[in-house]
Amino acid sequence: MKSGDHQKFWALILGASSGFGEATAIKLAKDGYNIFGVHLDRQATMPNVERIIKEIKNAGVDVEFFNANAADEIKRKEIITTIKSKLNGKPLVKVILHSLAFGTLKPFIPSSEEQAITKAQMEMTLDVMAHSLVYWTQDIFMNGLLAPSSRIFAMTSSGSHTSIPYYGAVSAAKASLESHCRQLAVELGSTGAAVNAIMAGVTDTPALRKIPGNREMIEIAYRKNPHGRLTEPEDIAKVISLLCKDGGEWISGSVIHADGGEDIVNFVGQGKPIDF
């Protein structure tokens, strides 16, 4: 963003109350972007949301959060209407980050003590974690709110091309999400937009903690990563910040590995098992 654009452009963060969404919202606010955040929190976790909003405000920018299911079509339309009113219909949404992590973690073929994933659960996972990117982008664009040379990011994972226990539906969603990014990159190219999937390394987030076997995933990632540590949400926020700068628009339609080299390492005999 060029000098003088402070408090002009906005970033729309889907999944703004934790993990990558939280870190990116705060980082982009420090870069000078106003922040729209969409999150889904109950009363127990609202103090954390208020902390994030306060930190964004402390950066000297405007902020508006919406506590709603980002995959709900009616709620999405309501939020878009509010955003359009807030921006007076001007194309000021410069950044969109899709960081929604809500899906079903069940096997396709269950053991005798397990339940198989259902059609409804499969479709819900794909809708929330992949297809909703398209619907939000469509609404922002067709309402004339997408700024020229915008940046659109979606969070993918190594599960898009590897098999992880109980992760089948999410793996399908991540593969679909990457495909959606490629298609949007082509169809929005004439606007100067850049659309990319960001493949983070294993990151100790609330979403990771819901995956069965997460302790083993964390340990293996520690031992694999050339940097000797896990990826942190702030690492990803810094990568997104870099790609939002002038010149970043020429990187588009890509799956960008932001993992310190974790995904390229296969051998896990190195290092010592960590003590939790």
Side-chain angles (χ1 to χ4, degrees):
M1 188 166 56
K2 296 179 181 179
S3 177
D5 283 343
H6 184 70
Q7 293 193 334
K8 176 181 178 182
F9 289 117
W10 290 72
L12 170 62
I13 311 294
L14 305 176
S17 63
S18 66
F20 303 121
E22 172 188 344
T24 302
I26 292 169
K27 173 58 178 169
L28 291 182
K30 291 177 179 179
D31 288 348
Y33 289 92
N34 302 297
I35 305 296
F36 288 124
V38 182
H39 63 102
L40 187 59
D41 285 88
R42 296 180 178 179
Q43 187 172 358
T45 53
M46 283 305 295
N48 183 60
V49 175
E50 295 301 324
R51 175 191 60 79
I52 296 168
I53 292 173
K54 182 178 180 180
E55 192 163 349
I56 291 171
K57 287 182 177 179
N58 287 342
V61 300
D62 198 357
V63 56
E64 187 162 352
F65 269 38
F66 305 91
N67 192 2
N69 179 2
D72 184 300
E73 182 176 4
I74 294 175
K75 293 295 183 181
R76 187 182 75 248
K77 297 293 186 183
E78 291 175 353
I79 293 170
I80 292 293
T81 298
T82 301
I83 290 175
K84 189 171 185 177
S85 177
K86 177 84 173 182
L87 302 185
N88 294 316
K90 296 180 180 179
L92 297 177
V93 177
K94 191 78 167 181
V95 181
I96 299 174
L97 170 63
H98 183 282
S99 183
L100 301 178
F102 186 81
T104 299
L105 297 163
K106 287 186 177 181
F108 290 175
I109 308 298
S111 67
S112 58
E113 299 178 354
E114 297 173 324
Q115 291 183 334
I117 193 167
T118 66
K119 178 181 179 182
Q121 290 168 336
M122 181 78 82
E123 292 178 347
M124 178 275 293
T125 303
L126 270 290
D127 187 58
V128 175
M129 299 189 71
H131 306 334
S132 59
L133 167 68
V134 177
Y135 309 142
W136 277 96
T137 303
Q138 284 177 330
D139 282 352
I140 291 292
F141 176 79
M142 291 189 289
N143 279 276
L145 302 175
L146 191 66
S149 298
S150 62
R151 308 287 196 276
I152 301 173
F153 304 98
M155 295 307 306
T156 186
S157 75
S158 62
S160 66
H161 61 273
T162 61
S163 178
I164 301 172
Y166 303 98
Y167 202 72
V170 179
S171 285
K174 294 302 187 183
S176 180
L177 189 66
E178 292 176 13
S179 177
H180 291 342
C181 285
R182 288 190 292 271
Q183 192 67 28
L184 288 169
V186 171
E187 296 190 17
L188 289 173
S190 62
T191 71
V195 187
N196 293 290
I198 305 293
M199 183 178 294
V202 172
T203 311
D204 193 359
T205 62
L208 177 73
R209 289 289 179 168
K210 294 178 182 178
I211 302 174
N214 63 78
R215 287 171 61 90
E216 292 80 3
M217 292 174 65
I218 289 171
E219 178 175 342
I220 290 172
Y222 264 114
R223 295 170 67 182
K224 284 178 61 177
N225 199 302
H227 290 259
R229 67 172 177 85
L230 296 182
T231 300
E232 297 177 355
E234 290 73 19
D235 295 321
I236 304 307
K238 291 175 184 177
V239 169
I240 289 173
S241 173
L242 280 172
L243 292 171
C244 286
K245 298 184 185 302
D246 286 344
E249 68 276 1
W250 212 240
I251 300 174
S252 189
S254 299
V255 176
I256 299 172
H257 290 243
D259 61 4
E262 175 188 311
D263 195 56
I264 64 172
V265 179
N266 184 47
F267 180 66
V268 293
Q270 69 274 25
K272 297 180 180 179
I274 62 174
D275 184 17
F276 286 96

